[in-house]
mmCIF file of all heavy atoms in Angstrom:
data_model
loop_
_atom_site.group_PDB
_atom_site.id
_atom_site.type_symbol
_atom_site.label_atom_id
_atom_site.label_comp_id
_atom_site.label_asym_id
_atom_site.label_seq_id
_atom_site.Cartn_x
_atom_site.Cartn_y
_atom_site.Cartn_z
ATOM 1 N N ALA A 531 4.942 22.085 29.925
ATOM 2 C CA ALA A 531 4.767 22.579 28.565
ATOM 3 C C ALA A 531 4.140 23.939 28.589
ATOM 4 O O ALA A 531 4.549 24.892 27.860
ATOM 5 C CB ALA A 531 3.949 21.627 27.755
ATOM 6 N N VAL A 532 3.125 24.165 29.422
ATOM 7 C CA VAL A 532 2.392 25.455 29.481
ATOM 8 C C VAL A 532 3.337 26.508 29.982
ATOM 9 O O VAL A 532 3.322 27.661 29.473
ATOM 10 C CB VAL A 532 1.172 25.328 30.409
ATOM 11 C CG1 VAL A 532 0.575 26.738 30.714
ATOM 12 C CG2 VAL A 532 0.079 24.416 29.800
ATOM 13 N N GLU A 533 4.182 26.256 30.938
ATOM 14 C CA GLU A 533 5.111 27.236 31.454
ATOM 15 C C GLU A 533 6.088 27.665 30.365
ATOM 16 O O GLU A 533 6.446 28.882 30.259
ATOM 17 C CB GLU A 533 5.879 26.701 32.691
ATOM 18 C CG GLU A 533 4.973 26.601 33.940
ATOM 19 C CD GLU A 533 4.303 27.893 34.332
ATOM 20 O OE1 GLU A 533 4.965 28.952 34.350
ATOM 21 O OE2 GLU A 533 3.071 27.863 34.568
ATOM 22 N N ILE A 534 6.614 26.715 29.631
ATOM 23 C CA ILE A 534 7.578 27.034 28.535
ATOM 24 C C ILE A 534 6.828 27.907 27.487
ATOM 25 O O ILE A 534 7.380 28.884 27.002
ATOM 26 C CB ILE A 534 8.143 25.746 27.917
ATOM 27 C CG1 ILE A 534 9.040 25.049 28.942
ATOM 28 C CG2 ILE A 534 8.920 26.083 26.679
ATOM 29 C CD1 ILE A 534 9.532 23.645 28.499
ATOM 30 N N LEU A 535 5.620 27.478 27.149
ATOM 31 C CA LEU A 535 4.867 28.237 26.132
ATOM 32 C C LEU A 535 4.563 29.635 26.622
ATOM 33 O O LEU A 535 4.596 30.606 25.810
ATOM 34 C CB LEU A 535 3.607 27.487 25.802
ATOM 35 C CG LEU A 535 3.792 26.253 24.915
ATOM 36 C CD1 LEU A 535 2.583 25.339 24.987
ATOM 37 C CD2 LEU A 535 4.087 26.648 23.436
ATOM 38 N N LYS A 536 4.233 29.827 27.830
ATOM 39 C CA LYS A 536 3.898 31.161 28.409
ATOM 40 C C LYS A 536 5.138 32.077 28.265
ATOM 41 O O LYS A 536 5.020 33.219 27.841
ATOM 42 C CB LYS A 536 3.489 31.080 29.866
ATOM 43 C CG LYS A 536 2.059 30.620 30.033
ATOM 44 C CD LYS A 536 1.777 30.208 31.479
ATOM 45 C CE LYS A 536 2.024 31.289 32.475
ATOM 46 N NZ LYS A 536 1.717 30.869 33.852
ATOM 47 N N GLU A 537 6.278 31.509 28.574
ATOM 48 C CA GLU A 537 7.545 32.267 28.430
ATOM 49 C C GLU A 537 7.795 32.719 27.049
ATOM 50 O O GLU A 537 8.163 33.848 26.737
ATOM 51 C CB GLU A 537 8.715 31.423 28.951
ATOM 52 C CG GLU A 537 10.085 32.060 28.793
ATOM 53 C CD GLU A 537 11.241 31.082 29.050
ATOM 54 O OE1 GLU A 537 10.987 30.010 29.629
ATOM 55 O OE2 GLU A 537 12.335 31.447 28.597
ATOM 56 N N VAL A 538 7.604 31.804 26.081
ATOM 57 C CA VAL A 538 7.918 32.060 24.696
ATOM 58 C C VAL A 538 6.891 33.043 24.118
ATOM 59 O O VAL A 538 7.224 34.007 23.342
ATOM 60 C CB VAL A 538 7.926 30.742 23.859
ATOM 61 C CG1 VAL A 538 7.962 31.024 22.372
ATOM 62 C CG2 VAL A 538 9.104 29.863 24.264
ATOM 63 N N LEU A 539 5.579 32.828 24.409
ATOM 64 C CA LEU A 539 4.540 33.598 23.755
ATOM 65 C C LEU A 539 4.433 34.998 24.287
ATOM 66 O O LEU A 539 3.811 35.877 23.638
ATOM 67 C CB LEU A 539 3.211 32.902 23.979
ATOM 68 C CG LEU A 539 3.040 31.508 23.239
ATOM 69 C CD1 LEU A 539 1.766 30.787 23.686
ATOM 70 C CD2 LEU A 539 3.064 31.714 21.747
ATOM 71 N N GLN A 540 5.110 35.358 25.397
ATOM 72 C CA GLN A 540 5.069 36.709 25.861
ATOM 73 C C GLN A 540 6.174 37.560 25.165
ATOM 74 O O GLN A 540 6.133 38.776 25.250
ATOM 75 C CB GLN A 540 5.386 36.724 27.387
ATOM 76 C CG GLN A 540 4.148 36.181 28.193
ATOM 77 C CD GLN A 540 4.393 36.335 29.667
ATOM 78 O OE1 GLN A 540 4.198 37.362 30.312
ATOM 79 N NE2 GLN A 540 4.852 35.212 30.283
ATOM 80 N N LYS A 541 7.044 36.885 24.410
ATOM 81 C CA LYS A 541 8.071 37.633 23.677
ATOM 82 C C LYS A 541 7.550 38.090 22.318
ATOM 83 O O LYS A 541 6.742 37.398 21.637
ATOM 84 C CB LYS A 541 9.256 36.739 23.449
ATOM 85 C CG LYS A 541 9.956 36.363 24.792
ATOM 86 C CD LYS A 541 11.159 35.433 24.510
ATOM 87 C CE LYS A 541 11.817 35.024 25.822
ATOM 88 N NZ LYS A 541 12.979 34.167 25.542
ATOM 89 N N ASP A 542 7.955 39.262 21.882
ATOM 90 C CA ASP A 542 7.564 39.804 20.612
ATOM 91 C C ASP A 542 8.678 39.544 19.622
ATOM 92 O O ASP A 542 9.434 40.461 19.231
ATOM 93 C CB ASP A 542 7.276 41.288 20.707
ATOM 94 C CG ASP A 542 6.704 41.856 19.432
ATOM 95 O OD1 ASP A 542 6.051 41.126 18.651
ATOM 96 O OD2 ASP A 542 6.879 43.062 19.177
ATOM 97 N N GLU A 543 8.862 38.248 19.183
ATOM 98 C CA GLU A 543 9.939 37.850 18.293
ATOM 99 C C GLU A 543 9.601 36.577 17.598
ATOM 100 O O GLU A 543 8.586 35.921 17.885
ATOM 101 C CB GLU A 543 11.231 37.689 19.138
ATOM 102 C CG GLU A 543 11.119 36.525 20.175
ATOM 103 C CD GLU A 543 12.392 36.386 20.946
ATOM 104 O OE1 GLU A 543 13.174 37.341 21.066
ATOM 105 O OE2 GLU A 543 12.596 35.304 21.521
ATOM 106 N N LEU A 544 10.431 36.222 16.705
ATOM 107 C CA LEU A 544 10.277 34.887 16.050
ATOM 108 C C LEU A 544 10.785 33.830 17.009
ATOM 109 O O LEU A 544 11.893 33.909 17.527
ATOM 110 C CB LEU A 544 11.105 34.891 14.728
ATOM 111 C CG LEU A 544 11.103 33.523 14.006
ATOM 112 C CD1 LEU A 544 9.720 33.162 13.446
ATOM 113 C CD2 LEU A 544 12.084 33.513 12.822
ATOM 114 N N SER A 545 9.925 32.815 17.236
ATOM 115 C CA SER A 545 10.323 31.710 18.064
ATOM 116 C C SER A 545 9.757 30.447 17.521
ATOM 117 O O SER A 545 8.779 30.425 16.757
ATOM 118 C CB SER A 545 9.808 31.931 19.501
ATOM 119 O OG SER A 545 8.382 32.071 19.506
ATOM 120 N N VAL A 546 10.386 29.315 17.928
ATOM 121 C CA VAL A 546 9.994 27.965 17.431
ATOM 122 C C VAL A 546 9.849 27.126 18.674
ATOM 123 O O VAL A 546 10.782 27.043 19.484
ATOM 124 C CB VAL A 546 10.937 27.370 16.452
ATOM 125 C CG1 VAL A 546 10.575 25.908 16.146
ATOM 126 C CG2 VAL A 546 10.870 28.174 15.129
ATOM 127 N N VAL A 547 8.730 26.432 18.802
ATOM 128 C CA VAL A 547 8.535 25.424 19.894
ATOM 129 C C VAL A 547 8.348 24.083 19.234
ATOM 130 O O VAL A 547 7.475 23.947 18.314
ATOM 131 C CB VAL A 547 7.308 25.772 20.741
ATOM 132 C CG1 VAL A 547 7.060 24.637 21.753
ATOM 133 C CG2 VAL A 547 7.505 27.106 21.457
ATOM 134 N N ILE A 548 9.202 23.136 19.538
ATOM 135 C CA ILE A 548 9.101 21.778 18.971
ATOM 136 C C ILE A 548 8.418 20.874 20.017
ATOM 137 O O ILE A 548 8.921 20.633 21.074
ATOM 138 C CB ILE A 548 10.489 21.218 18.665
ATOM 139 C CG1 ILE A 548 11.276 22.198 17.731
ATOM 140 C CG2 ILE A 548 10.406 19.835 17.999
ATOM 141 C CD1 ILE A 548 12.722 21.866 17.577
ATOM 142 N N SER A 549 7.230 20.453 19.654
ATOM 143 C CA SER A 549 6.474 19.545 20.513
ATOM 144 C C SER A 549 6.744 18.084 20.119
ATOM 145 O O SER A 549 6.272 17.643 19.107
ATOM 146 C CB SER A 549 4.961 19.857 20.396
ATOM 147 O OG SER A 549 4.238 19.025 21.280
ATOM 148 N N GLU A 550 7.485 17.379 20.947
ATOM 149 C CA GLU A 550 7.935 16.061 20.639
ATOM 150 C C GLU A 550 7.165 14.950 21.348
ATOM 151 O O GLU A 550 7.213 14.916 22.587
ATOM 152 C CB GLU A 550 9.446 15.901 20.941
ATOM 153 C CG GLU A 550 10.384 16.601 20.037
ATOM 154 C CD GLU A 550 11.821 16.269 20.347
ATOM 155 O OE1 GLU A 550 12.130 15.860 21.450
ATOM 156 O OE2 GLU A 550 12.685 16.442 19.439
ATOM 157 N N SER A 551 6.463 14.120 20.637
ATOM 158 C CA SER A 551 5.882 12.948 21.214
ATOM 159 C C SER A 551 5.332 12.072 20.054
ATOM 160 O O SER A 551 4.695 12.621 19.125
ATOM 161 C CB SER A 551 4.739 13.254 22.146
ATOM 162 O OG SER A 551 4.270 12.095 22.807
#
Side-chain angles (χ1 to χ4, degrees):
V532 170
E533 289 304 313
I534 292 173
L535 285 163
K536 282 167 59 178
E537 176 193 343
V538 170
L539 293 171
Q540 289 184 82
K541 297 179 180 180
D542 186 28
E543 63 180 22
L544 177 65
S545 58
V546 172
V547 175
I548 305 168
S549 181
E550 287 186 338
S551 187

